[in-house]
Amino acid sequence: MDSDPLLPQRPPALTLSQKAAYGVGHVLNDICAALWFSYTLLFMQLVLKIPATTSGALLLVGQVVDALATPLVGYMSDKWGSRKTWHLAGTVLVLVSFPLVFSECGVCWMAPGLTWVAPLYYAVLIAAFQTGWATVQIAHLSLIPDLTPRQAERAELTAIRYTASVCSSLALYVITWIVFHVTRGGMGMDRVGPGDVFKFRSIVFVGVTIGTVCSIWFRYGLNVPSHADISTRHQVNKANARNGKAPSQLVNGLDFLRRSSLYQVALLYMASRLFLTLSLVYMPLYLDESLNQDVETLASVPFASFVASFIASLAIKYSSGFLSSKMGYLLGALISLAGCIWVGTGSSAGQSLQMYGVAVLLGAGSSITMVTSLCITADLIGPNTDSGAFVYGAVTFLDKLFNGIAVMIIEELKCEDVTLCPHYYQDVLAYVCGGSALLGLIVLLTVFPFSRNIFKSKGSNIVVG
């Protein structure tokens, strides 16, 4: 039985229905994120015929808005309103804006001669979507410490949340494959083009419908403690931390900014996230433009990558008793590099089959580095749980900003004439993603000093954003 000198009456354990209701609260965001990273550039460039540079700039707008909105929404949601109210507000904003991102320009008919109207139209929609997405993310994430003071239950909620995220991404790729398969042409090869708006609209409609049902389940199936109970619990947790830990171990949120370890871990997480994002964004474009693959492959290859990602995350979970976070990251980075080398050196013969092997390596490597970098972040936070949100926010801000900048630079450097650089996206996967994995390895060497335990690690509470 749990005991706590400052909190003698602890709330009852969460029921299975409560845990399930919490787990589905981020499904809408996860489905939209899978679509956003995997198919936004593909849709804009091949369907809407928006230039590559402009498409990259629009994705950058989304990432910058997301980066700025995340800490702002976090601060405001701590001060005003309930978590579920903020979650509802963000959900409505996502539902209103995201389906329009994957549709034809709704106002361009008013000014057919002005080329800036379409980019401005989509920029406004993307900004609204990313603001809503960040609101849902922060509201859902911050509910974990509010729902329970028990570390075991918090870890379980995090695991349920991550599982729901992976399953949502897998479901999205299954939906995409079904839509492309049902609507494919009769010649055996069907390339993405301007006539495929309805396909993406159908994918978004099915995905958003699933997400909406899950959001309703979350709202009416989850009971959240009152604001007064949550405030009391946070004060007690802070007092317990001060009573149980040496003063030198307790760090204020802003004091972390004066510690080099924060920037080391931020760079490590950024490298991991950059690898994951770029492999998601450019794998479909590589399949379509470099390998001339059928549209069904645009769904089946990412699906294989996510299956590998899911299996790898389970392997890391069960190996945490004998493998430290840093050794796990090293393993994931090496797997990632192997996938990038395979992309860069693969022969043209049988490349479509080779791509499934590459997808498995990229998915497994990105999953391992993402999970272990979050473990290292949790090790950095240590007993300073009241500053955990600040640390995660600082690390996430850097990741979202640089992801957008990287995509913008890649699209800016792309040749306007595809025949001049027919292997451009192959090079992006091989060298840019490979460079991200290599950067993570270099930063990892600088992280070792603040935790030398390599082969044995104690469990960390991982929060997947």
Side-chain angles (χ1 to χ4, degrees):
M1 183 175 180
D2 293 325
S3 61
D4 193 323
L6 296 180
L7 191 61
Q9 295 183 347
R10 307 187 81 182
L14 294 173
T15 64
L16 181 61
S17 62
Q18 288 280 89
K19 296 173 184 177
Y22 174 80
V24 299
H26 205 255
V27 166
L28 176 63
N29 261 23
D30 293 328
I31 290 176
C32 291
L35 262 168
W36 170 256
F37 285 117
S38 295
Y39 299 116
T40 298
L41 289 183
L42 184 81
F43 177 77
M44 289 185 174
Q45 293 182 26
L46 303 183
V47 179
L48 298 179
K49 295 301 180 181
I50 295 177
T53 303
T54 306
S55 300
L58 288 172
L59 196 141
L60 174 61
V61 167
Q63 293 303 108
V64 171
V65 170
D66 190 7
L68 296 176
T70 298
L72 181 61
V73 169
Y75 175 81
M76 288 175 21
S77 64
D78 281 337
K79 299 294 183 181
W80 304 287
S82 67
R83 306 293 191 198
K84 291 179 76 172
T85 300
W86 282 93
H87 185 280
L88 176 62
T91 299
V92 171
L93 199 53
V94 169
L95 290 175
V96 170
S97 58
F98 188 71
L100 297 177
V101 173
F102 284 87
S103 300
E104 305 98 326
C105 176
V107 299
C108 292
W109 61 272
M110 292 189 248
L114 300 178
T115 57
W116 55 266
V117 174
L120 179 61
Y121 171 80
Y122 287 107
V124 172
L125 289 176
I126 288 170
F129 157 63
Q130 291 288 9
T131 301
W133 197 97
T135 303
V136 172
Q137 180 196 35
I138 293 300
H140 191 258
L141 192 61
S142 58
L143 270 174
I144 292 179
D146 291 350
L147 288 172
T148 176
R150 299 176 178 86
Q151 293 296 340
E153 283 190 328
R154 291 180 180 180
E156 185 178 6
L157 288 176
T158 301
I160 293 172
R161 186 177 189 269
Y162 181 75
T163 301
S165 175
V166 174
C167 291
S168 300
S169 299
L170 293 176
L172 183 277
Y173 293 123
V174 170
I175 294 167
T176 303
W177 183 87
I178 291 173
V179 170
F180 284 153
H181 180 74
V182 171
T183 59
R184 67 181 299 171
M187 299 299 294
M189 289 294 289
D190 196 8
R191 303 293 302 283
V192 175
D196 293 324
V197 174
F198 77 98
K199 297 180 183 179
F200 287 93
R201 190 188 299 122
S202 300
I203 295 168
V204 172
F205 175 78
V206 176
V208 166
T209 299
I210 295 173
T212 302
V213 172
C214 291
S215 297
I216 294 173
W217 181 3
F218 164 82
R219 179 159 184 83
Y220 294 103
L222 181 66
N223 295 321
V224 179
S226 66
H227 183 73
D229 290 342
I230 293 172
S231 299
T232 301
R233 187 186 300 162
H234 285 174
Q235 292 173 1
V236 169
N237 288 341
K238 186 180 293 186
N240 283 338
R242 290 197 174 93
N243 292 337
K245 301 293 180 181
S248 62
Q249 291 179 281
L250 297 174
V251 183
N252 226 335
L254 293 177
D255 290 339
F256 271 106
L257 295 175
R258 292 193 287 269
R259 295 196 166 196
S260 61
S261 54
L262 174 66
Y263 303 98
Q264 291 172 300
V265 173
L267 282 173
L268 191 70
Y269 179 78
M270 183 200 73
S272 309
R273 191 73 187 184
L274 189 63
F275 180 91
L276 173 63
T277 300
L278 294 182
S279 62
L280 280 175
V281 169
Y282 289 107
M283 188 182 297
L285 286 169
Y286 168 56
L287 291 171
D288 184 86
E289 294 192 11
S290 298
L291 298 183
N292 296 321
Q293 289 297 301
D294 185 83
V295 290
E296 293 179 22
T297 311
L298 301 181
S300 59
V301 171
F303 180 85
S305 180
F306 264 88
V307 170
S309 172
F310 181 64
I311 295 173
S313 66
L314 293 178
I316 284 294
K317 175 183 178 182
Y318 290 110
S319 64
S320 60
F322 60 88
L323 190 69
S324 75
S325 299
K326 286 171 284 299
M327 283 301 297
Y329 190 98
L330 175 64
L331 176 63
L334 292 176
I335 293 174
S336 301
L337 281 173
C340 295
I341 293 172
W342 194 351
V343 171
T345 61
S347 62
S348 57
Q351 269 193 321
S352 59
L353 292 178
Q354 290 183 43
M355 198 57 211
Y356 286 98
V358 170
V360 168
L361 292 178
L362 297 183
S366 62
S367 175
I368 294 172
T369 54
M370 277 297 302
V371 171
T372 51
S373 65
L374 286 165
C375 287
I376 295 171
T377 306
D379 293 339
L380 172 66
I381 294 171
N384 304 288
T385 54
D386 56 336
S387 300
F390 175 83
V391 174
Y392 279 114
V395 170
T396 304
F397 173 83
L398 189 66
D399 133 56
K400 293 177 178 178
L401 187 62
F402 276 86
N403 271 316
I405 293 174
V407 172
M408 179 63 192
I409 293 174
I410 291 171
E411 293 305 307
E412 179 68 30
L413 295 176
K414 181 186 176 184
C415 306
E416 291 190 13
D417 186 355
V418 179
T419 58
L420 296 178
C421 47
H423 304 296
Y424 185 74
Y425 290 124
Q426 178 181 357
D427 293 340
V428 169
L429 288 176
Y431 299 112
V432 183
C433 289
S436 301
L438 187 61
L439 173 63
L441 283 175
I442 295 173
V443 176
L444 184 68
L445 297 177
T446 71
V447 175
F448 271 109
F450 77 79
S451 180
R452 301 179 184 276
N453 191 9
I454 300 176
F455 288 105
K456 184 74 174 177
S457 65
K458 296 181 180 180
S460 300
N461 295 319
I462 309 170
V463 178
V464 181

